[in-house]
Amino acid sequence: MCIRDSKNRNAMLTQGYDPPDQVVITLLTGPVMHKPQGIDEKSAALKHQGYYCKSCLRSLKKSANPLRGWDAAVFCFYTGYYFCEQCHDRTQLSVIPARVVQDWDFSEHMVSSLSHTFLDIHRCQTPMLCVSAINPALYDKVWLLRMVRELRVELTALNAVGLRCNCLLYTSPSPRDS
């Protein structure tokens, strides 16, 4: 999914955010991102990232105050990258789809402005992931999910029977029957 797609870009622009053209966000199936703990892990992650914001490509600089460290670099739990304070204002929260599919975790986490807009655009449209293909063990952990799957299998079987039996076919009432 590329944000250069005109429909999605227009939706982002109406929300007041104009991301750079070269930014591409992949959809949902990556690993769960965990925030690096401690200044050494954060420094290593920023080194791996090249010390720049993943959205606007601004340089991320270490604070002059050694106690503050990398305060200007803010972690996004959706992408797993660090962003500058202009691209990540620390107030936008969202449910992370990978956490739902892997751990059935619906808690909200801090995400960058770009990720928040992307997740808002794709929220509640249609199911995007096949849980049985990505994490079939989730059915063993979540009773409700297992019950819904069993009901869907039963309904599919009933539909097959209903299509073979003329007595179960639904016919709409004619206007004269009213």
Coordinates of all heavy atoms in Angstrom, one line a residue, residues 101-170:
V101 N -3.3 -9.9 16.1 CA -3.2 -11.2 15.4 C -2.3 -12.1 16.1 O -2.5 -13.3 16.2 CB -2.8 -11.0 13.9 CG1 -2.4 -12.3 13.3 CG2 -3.8 -10.3 13.1
Q102 N -1.2 -11.6 16.8 CA -0.3 -12.4 17.4 C -0.6 -12.7 18.9 O -0.4 -13.8 19.4 CB 1.1 -11.9 17.3 CG 1.6 -11.9 15.9 CD 3.0 -11.4 15.7 OE1 3.7 -11.2 16.7 NE2 3.4 -11.1 14.5
D103 N -1.2 -11.7 19.6 CA -1.4 -11.9 21.0 C -2.8 -11.5 21.5 O -3.1 -11.5 22.7 CB -0.4 -10.9 21.8 CG 1.0 -11.2 21.5 OD1 1.4 -12.4 21.3 OD2 1.8 -10.2 21.4
W104 N -3.7 -11.2 20.6 CA -5.1 -10.8 20.9 C -5.0 -9.6 21.9 O -5.8 -9.5 22.8 CB -5.9 -12.0 21.5 CG -7.3 -11.8 21.3 CD1 -8.3 -11.7 22.3 CD2 -8.1 -11.8 20.1 NE1 -9.5 -11.6 21.7 CE2 -9.4 -11.7 20.4 CE3 -7.7 -11.9 18.7 CZ2 -10.4 -11.6 19.4 CZ3 -8.7 -11.9 17.8 CH2 -10.0 -11.8 18.1
D105 N -4.1 -8.7 21.6 CA -3.9 -7.5 22.4 C -4.5 -6.3 21.7 O -4.0 -5.8 20.7 CB -2.4 -7.3 22.6 CG -2.0 -6.0 23.3 OD1 -3.0 -5.4 23.9 OD2 -0.8 -5.7 23.4
F106 N -5.6 -5.8 22.3 CA -6.3 -4.6 21.7 C -5.9 -3.3 22.4 O -6.6 -2.3 22.2 CB -7.8 -4.8 21.8 CG -8.3 -5.8 20.8 CD1 -8.3 -7.2 21.1 CD2 -8.7 -5.4 19.5 CE1 -8.8 -8.1 20.2 CE2 -9.1 -6.4 18.6 CZ -9.2 -7.7 18.9
S107 N -4.9 -3.3 23.2 CA -4.5 -2.0 23.9 C -3.9 -1.1 22.9 O -3.3 -1.5 21.9 CB -3.5 -2.3 25.0 OG -2.4 -3.0 24.5
E108 N -4.1 0.2 23.1 CA -3.6 1.2 22.2 C -2.1 1.6 22.6 O -1.8 1.6 23.8 CB -4.4 2.5 22.3 CG -5.8 2.2 21.7 CD -6.7 3.5 21.7 OE1 -6.5 4.4 22.5 OE2 -7.5 3.6 20.7
H109 N -1.3 1.9 21.6 CA 0.1 2.3 21.7 C 0.4 3.5 20.9 O -0.3 3.8 20.0 CB 1.0 1.1 21.2 CG 0.8 -0.1 22.0 ND1 1.6 -0.4 23.2 CD2 0.0 -1.2 21.9 CE1 1.2 -1.6 23.7 NE2 0.3 -2.1 22.9
M110 N 1.4 4.2 21.3 CA 1.8 5.5 20.6 C 2.3 5.1 19.2 O 3.1 4.2 19.0 CB 2.9 6.2 21.4 CG 2.4 7.0 22.6 SD 3.6 8.2 23.2 CE 5.2 7.4 23.1
V111 N 1.8 5.9 18.3 CA 2.2 5.7 16.9 C 2.5 7.1 16.3 O 2.0 8.1 16.8 CB 1.1 5.0 16.0 CG1 1.0 3.6 16.5 CG2 -0.2 5.7 16.0
S112 N 3.3 7.1 15.2 CA 3.6 8.4 14.5 C 2.3 8.9 13.8 O 1.3 8.2 13.6 CB 4.7 8.2 13.5 OG 4.2 7.3 12.4
S113 N 2.4 10.2 13.4 CA 1.2 10.8 12.7 C 0.9 10.0 11.4 O -0.2 9.8 11.1 CB 1.5 12.3 12.4 OG 1.7 13.0 13.6
L114 N 1.9 9.7 10.7 CA 1.8 8.9 9.4 C 1.1 7.6 9.7 O 0.1 7.2 9.0 CB 3.1 8.8 8.7 CG 3.1 8.0 7.4 CD1 2.3 8.9 6.4 CD2 4.5 7.8 6.9
S115 N 1.6 6.9 10.7 CA 1.0 5.5 11.0 C -0.4 5.7 11.5 O -1.3 4.9 11.1 CB 1.9 4.8 12.0 OG 3.2 4.6 11.6
H116 N -0.7 6.7 12.3 CA -2.0 6.9 12.8 C -3.0 7.2 11.7 O -4.1 6.6 11.7 CB -2.0 8.1 13.8 CG -3.3 8.2 14.6 ND1 -4.3 9.1 14.2 CD2 -3.8 7.6 15.7 CE1 -5.3 9.0 15.0 NE2 -5.0 8.1 15.9
T117 N -2.6 8.0 10.8 CA -3.5 8.3 9.6 C -3.7 7.0 8.8 O -4.8 6.7 8.4 CB -2.9 9.4 8.8 OG1 -2.6 10.5 9.6 CG2 -3.8 9.8 7.6
F118 N -2.7 6.3 8.6 CA -2.8 5.0 7.8 C -3.7 4.1 8.5 O -4.6 3.5 7.8 CB -1.4 4.4 7.6 CG -1.4 3.1 6.9 CD1 -1.5 3.0 5.6 CD2 -1.3 1.9 7.7 CE1 -1.5 1.8 4.9 CE2 -1.3 0.7 7.0 CZ -1.4 0.6 5.7
L119 N -3.5 3.9 9.8 CA -4.4 2.9 10.5 C -5.8 3.4 10.5 O -6.8 2.6 10.5 CB -3.8 2.7 11.9 CG -2.5 1.9 11.9 CD1 -1.9 2.0 13.3 CD2 -2.7 0.5 11.5
D120 N -6.1 4.7 10.7 CA -7.4 5.3 10.7 C -8.1 5.0 9.3 O -9.3 4.7 9.3 CB -7.4 6.8 11.0 CG -7.4 7.0 12.5 OD1 -7.6 6.1 13.2 OD2 -7.3 8.2 12.8
I121 N -7.4 5.2 8.2 CA -8.0 5.0 6.9 C -8.4 3.6 6.7 O -9.4 3.3 6.1 CB -6.9 5.4 5.8 CG1 -6.8 6.9 5.8 CG2 -7.4 4.9 4.4 CD1 -5.7 7.4 4.9
H122 N -7.6 2.6 7.3 CA -7.9 1.2 7.1 C -8.7 0.5 8.2 O -9.0 -0.6 8.2 CB -6.6 0.4 6.9 CG -6.0 0.8 5.6 ND1 -5.1 1.8 5.5 CD2 -6.1 0.3 4.3 CE1 -4.7 2.0 4.2 NE2 -5.4 1.1 3.5
R123 N -9.1 1.3 9.2 CA -9.9 0.8 10.3 C -11.3 0.4 9.9 O -12.0 1.1 9.3 CB -9.9 1.8 11.5 CG -10.6 1.3 12.7 CD -10.5 2.2 13.9 NE -9.1 2.1 14.2 CZ -8.5 3.2 14.8 NH1 -9.0 4.3 14.9 NH2 -7.2 3.1 15.1
C124 N -11.7 -0.8 10.3 CA -13.1 -1.2 10.2 C -13.7 -1.2 8.8 O -14.9 -1.1 8.7 CB -14.0 -0.4 11.1 SG -13.6 -0.4 12.9
Q125 N -12.9 -1.4 7.8 CA -13.5 -1.5 6.5 C -13.8 -3.0 6.2 O -15.0 -3.3 6.2 CB -12.5 -1.0 5.4 CG -12.3 0.5 5.5 CD -11.3 1.0 4.4 OE1 -10.6 0.2 3.8 NE2 -11.3 2.3 4.2
T126 N -12.9 -3.8 6.0 CA -13.1 -5.2 5.8 C -12.0 -6.0 6.5 O -10.9 -5.4 6.8 CB -13.1 -5.6 4.3 OG1 -11.8 -5.2 3.8 CG2 -14.2 -5.0 3.6
P127 N -12.2 -7.2 6.9 CA -11.1 -8.0 7.5 C -9.9 -8.0 6.5 O -10.1 -8.3 5.3 CB -11.7 -9.4 7.6 CG -13.1 -9.2 7.6 CD -13.4 -8.0 6.8
M128 N -8.7 -7.8 7.1 CA -7.6 -7.7 6.2 C -6.6 -8.9 6.3 O -5.8 -9.1 5.5 CB -6.8 -6.4 6.6 CG -7.6 -5.2 6.4 SD -6.7 -3.8 7.1 CE -6.1 -3.0 5.6
L129 N -6.8 -9.7 7.4 CA -5.9 -10.7 7.6 C -6.6 -12.0 7.9 O -7.7 -12.0 8.5 CB -5.0 -10.4 8.8 CG -4.2 -9.1 8.7 CD1 -3.6 -8.8 10.1 CD2 -3.2 -9.2 7.7
C130 N -6.0 -13.1 7.4 CA -6.6 -14.4 7.7 C -5.9 -15.0 8.9 O -4.7 -15.4 8.9 CB -6.4 -15.3 6.5 SG -7.0 -17.0 6.7
V131 N -6.6 -15.0 10.0 CA -6.0 -15.4 11.3 C -5.5 -16.8 11.2 O -4.5 -17.2 11.7 CB -7.0 -15.2 12.5 CG1 -6.5 -15.8 13.8 CG2 -7.4 -13.7 12.6
S132 N -6.3 -17.7 10.6 CA -5.9 -19.1 10.5 C -4.6 -19.3 9.7 O -3.9 -20.3 10.0 CB -7.0 -20.0 9.9 OG -7.4 -19.5 8.6
A133 N -4.3 -18.4 8.8 CA -3.1 -18.5 8.0 C -1.9 -17.9 8.8 O -0.8 -18.4 8.7 CB -3.2 -17.9 6.7
I134 N -2.1 -16.8 9.5 CA -1.0 -16.1 10.2 C -0.7 -16.7 11.6 O 0.4 -16.9 11.9 CB -1.4 -14.6 10.3 CG1 -1.5 -14.0 8.9 CG2 -0.3 -13.9 11.2 CD1 -2.0 -12.6 9.0
N135 N -1.8 -17.0 12.4 CA -1.5 -17.5 13.7 C -2.7 -18.4 14.1 O -3.5 -18.1 14.9 CB -1.5 -16.3 14.7 CG -1.1 -16.7 16.1 OD1 -0.7 -17.9 16.3 ND2 -1.1 -15.8 17.0
P136 N -2.7 -19.7 13.6 CA -3.7 -20.6 14.0 C -3.8 -21.0 15.5 O -4.8 -21.3 16.0 CB -3.4 -21.8 13.1 CG -2.0 -21.7 12.6 CD -1.7 -20.2 12.7
A137 N -2.7 -20.8 16.2 CA -2.7 -21.1 17.6 C -3.6 -20.1 18.4 O -4.0 -20.4 19.5 CB -1.3 -21.0 18.1
L138 N -3.9 -19.0 17.8 CA -4.8 -18.0 18.5 C -6.1 -18.6 18.7 O -6.8 -18.2 19.7 CB -4.9 -16.7 17.6 CG -5.4 -15.5 18.3 CD1 -4.5 -15.1 19.5 CD2 -5.4 -14.3 17.3
Y139 N -6.6 -19.5 17.9 CA -7.9 -20.1 18.1 C -7.9 -20.9 19.4 O -8.9 -21.1 20.0 CB -8.3 -21.0 16.9 CG -8.6 -20.2 15.7 CD1 -7.8 -20.2 14.6 CD2 -9.8 -19.5 15.6 CE1 -8.2 -19.5 13.4 CE2 -10.1 -18.7 14.5 CZ -9.3 -18.8 13.4 OH -9.6 -18.1 12.3
D140 N -6.8 -21.5 19.8 CA -6.7 -22.2 21.0 C -6.6 -21.3 22.2 O -7.1 -21.7 23.3 CB -5.4 -23.1 21.0 CG -5.5 -24.2 19.9 OD1 -6.6 -24.6 19.5 OD2 -4.4 -24.5 19.4
K141 N -6.1 -20.1 22.1 CA -6.0 -19.2 23.2 C -7.3 -18.4 23.4 O -7.6 -18.1 24.6 CB -4.9 -18.1 22.9 CG -3.5 -18.7 23.0 CD -2.6 -17.5 23.0 CE -1.5 -17.6 22.0 NZ -0.6 -16.4 22.0
V142 N -8.1 -18.1 22.4 CA -9.2 -17.2 22.5 C -10.5 -18.0 22.2 O -10.8 -18.4 21.0 CB -9.1 -16.0 21.5 CG1 -10.3 -15.1 21.7 CG2 -7.8 -15.3 21.7
W143 N -11.3 -18.3 23.3 CA -12.5 -19.1 23.2 C -13.5 -18.5 22.2 O -14.0 -19.2 21.3 CB -13.1 -19.3 24.5 CG -14.4 -20.0 24.5 CD1 -14.5 -21.4 24.5 CD2 -15.7 -19.5 24.5 NE1 -15.8 -21.7 24.5 CE2 -16.6 -20.5 24.4 CE3 -16.2 -18.2 24.4 CZ2 -18.0 -20.4 24.4 CZ3 -17.6 -18.0 24.4 CH2 -18.4 -19.1 24.3
L144 N -13.7 -17.2 22.3 CA -14.7 -16.6 21.4 C -14.3 -16.7 19.9 O -15.2 -16.9 19.1 CB -14.9 -15.1 21.8 CG -16.0 -14.3 21.1 CD1 -17.3 -15.0 21.3 CD2 -16.0 -12.9 21.5
L145 N -13.1 -16.5 19.6 CA -12.6 -16.6 18.2 C -12.8 -18.0 17.7 O -13.3 -18.2 16.6 CB -11.1 -16.2 18.2 CG -10.5 -16.0 16.8 CD1 -11.2 -14.8 16.1 CD2 -9.1 -15.6 17.0
R146 N -12.6 -19.0 18.6 CA -12.8 -20.4 18.2 C -14.2 -20.7 17.9 O -14.6 -21.4 16.9 CB -12.2 -21.4 19.3 CG -12.3 -22.8 18.9 CD -11.7 -23.8 19.9 NE -12.2 -23.6 21.3 CZ -11.5 -23.1 22.3 NH1 -10.2 -22.7 22.1 NH2 -12.0 -22.9 23.5
M147 N -15.1 -20.2 18.8 CA -16.6 -20.4 18.6 C -17.1 -19.7 17.3 O -17.9 -20.3 16.5 CB -17.4 -19.8 19.8 CG -17.1 -20.6 21.1 SD -17.5 -22.3 20.9 CE -19.2 -22.3 20.5
V148 N -16.6 -18.5 17.0 CA -17.0 -17.9 15.7 C -16.5 -18.7 14.5 O -17.3 -18.9 13.5 CB -16.4 -16.4 15.7 CG1 -16.6 -15.8 14.3 CG2 -17.1 -15.6 16.7
R149 N -15.3 -19.2 14.6 CA -14.8 -20.0 13.5 C -15.7 -21.3 13.3 O -16.1 -21.7 12.2 CB -13.4 -20.4 13.7 CG -12.8 -21.3 12.5 CD -11.4 -21.7 12.7 NE -11.3 -22.6 13.9 CZ -10.2 -23.2 14.3 NH1 -9.1 -23.1 13.6 NH2 -10.2 -24.0 15.3
E150 N -16.1 -21.9 14.4 CA -16.9 -23.1 14.3 C -18.3 -22.8 13.7 O -18.8 -23.6 12.9 CB -17.0 -23.8 15.7 CG -15.7 -24.4 16.1 CD -15.7 -24.9 17.6 OE1 -16.8 -24.8 18.2 OE2 -14.7 -25.3 18.1
L151 N -18.8 -21.7 14.1 CA -20.1 -21.3 13.6 C -20.0 -21.0 12.1 O -21.0 -21.3 11.3 CB -20.7 -20.0 14.3 CG -21.2 -20.3 15.7 CD1 -21.5 -19.0 16.5 CD2 -22.4 -21.2 15.7
R152 N -19.0 -20.4 11.7 CA -18.8 -20.1 10.2 C -18.7 -21.4 9.4 O -19.2 -21.5 8.3 CB -17.6 -19.2 10.0 CG -17.7 -17.8 10.5 CD -16.5 -17.0 10.2 NE -16.4 -16.8 8.8 CZ -15.4 -16.2 8.2 NH1 -14.3 -15.9 8.9 NH2 -15.3 -16.1 6.9
V153 N -18.0 -22.4 10.0 CA -17.9 -23.7 9.3 C -19.2 -24.3 9.2 O -19.6 -24.9 8.2 CB -16.9 -24.6 10.0 CG1 -16.9 -26.0 9.5 CG2 -15.5 -24.0 9.9
E154 N -20.0 -24.3 10.3 CA -21.4 -24.9 10.3 C -22.3 -24.2 9.3 O -23.1 -24.8 8.6 CB -22.0 -24.8 11.7 CG -21.3 -25.8 12.7 CD -21.9 -25.7 14.1 OE1 -23.0 -25.1 14.2 OE2 -21.2 -26.1 15.0
L155 N -22.2 -22.8 9.2 CA -23.1 -22.1 8.3 C -22.7 -22.4 6.9 O -23.5 -22.5 6.0 CB -23.0 -20.6 8.6 CG -23.7 -20.1 9.8 CD1 -23.4 -18.6 10.1 CD2 -25.2 -20.3 9.6
T156 N -21.4 -22.6 6.6 CA -21.0 -22.9 5.2 C -21.5 -24.3 4.9 O -22.0 -24.5 3.7 CB -19.4 -22.9 5.2 OG1 -19.0 -21.6 5.5 CG2 -18.9 -23.3 3.8
A157 N -21.5 -25.2 5.8 CA -22.1 -26.6 5.5 C -23.6 -26.5 5.3 O -24.1 -27.2 4.4 CB -21.7 -27.5 6.7
L158 N -24.3 -25.7 6.1 CA -25.7 -25.6 5.9 C -26.1 -24.9 4.6 O -27.0 -25.3 3.9 CB -26.3 -24.8 7.1 CG -26.5 -25.5 8.4 CD1 -26.9 -24.5 9.5 CD2 -27.5 -26.6 8.3
N159 N -25.2 -24.0 4.2 CA -25.5 -23.3 2.9 C -25.3 -24.3 1.8 O -26.1 -24.3 0.8 CB -24.5 -22.2 2.7 CG -24.7 -21.4 1.4 OD1 -25.8 -21.2 1.1 ND2 -23.6 -21.1 0.8
A160 N -24.3 -25.2 1.9 CA -24.1 -26.2 0.8 C -25.4 -27.2 0.8 O -25.8 -27.6 -0.3 CB -22.9 -27.0 1.1
V161 N -25.9 -27.6 1.9 CA -27.1 -28.4 2.0 C -28.3 -27.7 1.4 O -29.1 -28.2 0.6 CB -27.4 -28.9 3.4 CG1 -28.7 -29.6 3.5 CG2 -26.2 -29.8 3.9
G162 N -28.4 -26.4 1.8 CA -29.6 -25.6 1.3 C -29.6 -25.4 -0.2 O -30.7 -25.4 -0.8
L163 N -28.4 -25.3 -0.8 CA -28.4 -25.2 -2.2 C -28.8 -26.4 -3.0 O -29.3 -26.4 -4.1 CB -27.0 -24.7 -2.6 CG -26.6 -23.3 -2.2 CD1 -25.1 -23.1 -2.6 CD2 -27.5 -22.3 -2.9
R164 N -28.6 -27.6 -2.3 CA -29.0 -28.9 -3.0 C -30.4 -29.2 -2.7 O -31.0 -30.1 -3.4 CB -28.1 -30.0 -2.4 CG -26.7 -30.0 -3.1 CD -25.9 -31.2 -2.7 NE -25.0 -30.7 -1.6 CZ -24.7 -31.4 -0.5 NH1 -25.3 -32.6 -0.3 NH2 -23.9 -30.9 0.4
C165 N -31.0 -28.7 -1.8 CA -32.4 -29.0 -1.4 C -33.4 -27.9 -1.8 O -33.3 -26.8 -1.3 CB -32.5 -29.2 0.1 SG -34.2 -29.6 0.7
N166 N -34.3 -28.2 -2.7 CA -35.2 -27.2 -3.2 C -36.1 -26.6 -2.1 O -36.6 -25.5 -2.2 CB -36.0 -27.7 -4.4 CG -35.2 -27.9 -5.6 OD1 -34.2 -27.2 -5.8 ND2 -35.6 -28.8 -6.5
C167 N -36.4 -27.5 -1.1 CA -37.4 -27.0 -0.1 C -36.8 -25.9 0.8 O -37.5 -25.2 1.4 CB -37.9 -28.2 0.7 SG -36.5 -29.0 1.7
L168 N -35.5 -25.8 0.8 CA -34.9 -24.7 1.6 C -34.6 -23.5 0.9 O -34.0 -22.5 1.5 CB -33.6 -25.3 2.3 CG -33.8 -26.4 3.3 CD1 -32.4 -26.9 3.8 CD2 -34.6 -26.0 4.4
L169 N -34.8 -23.4 -0.4 CA -34.5 -22.2 -1.2 C -35.5 -21.1 -0.7 O -36.7 -21.3 -0.6 CB -34.7 -22.5 -2.7 CG -33.6 -23.4 -3.3 CD1 -33.9 -23.6 -4.7 CD2 -32.2 -22.7 -3.1
Y170 N -34.9 -19.9 -0.6 CA -35.7 -18.7 -0.2 C -36.2 -18.1 -1.4 O -35.5 -17.9 -2.4 CB -34.8 -17.8 0.6 CG -35.5 -16.5 0.9 CD1 -36.4 -16.4 1.9 CD2 -35.2 -15.3 0.1 CE1 -37.0 -15.2 2.2 CE2 -35.8 -14.1 0.4 CZ -36.8 -14.1 1.5 OH -37.4 -12.9 1.7

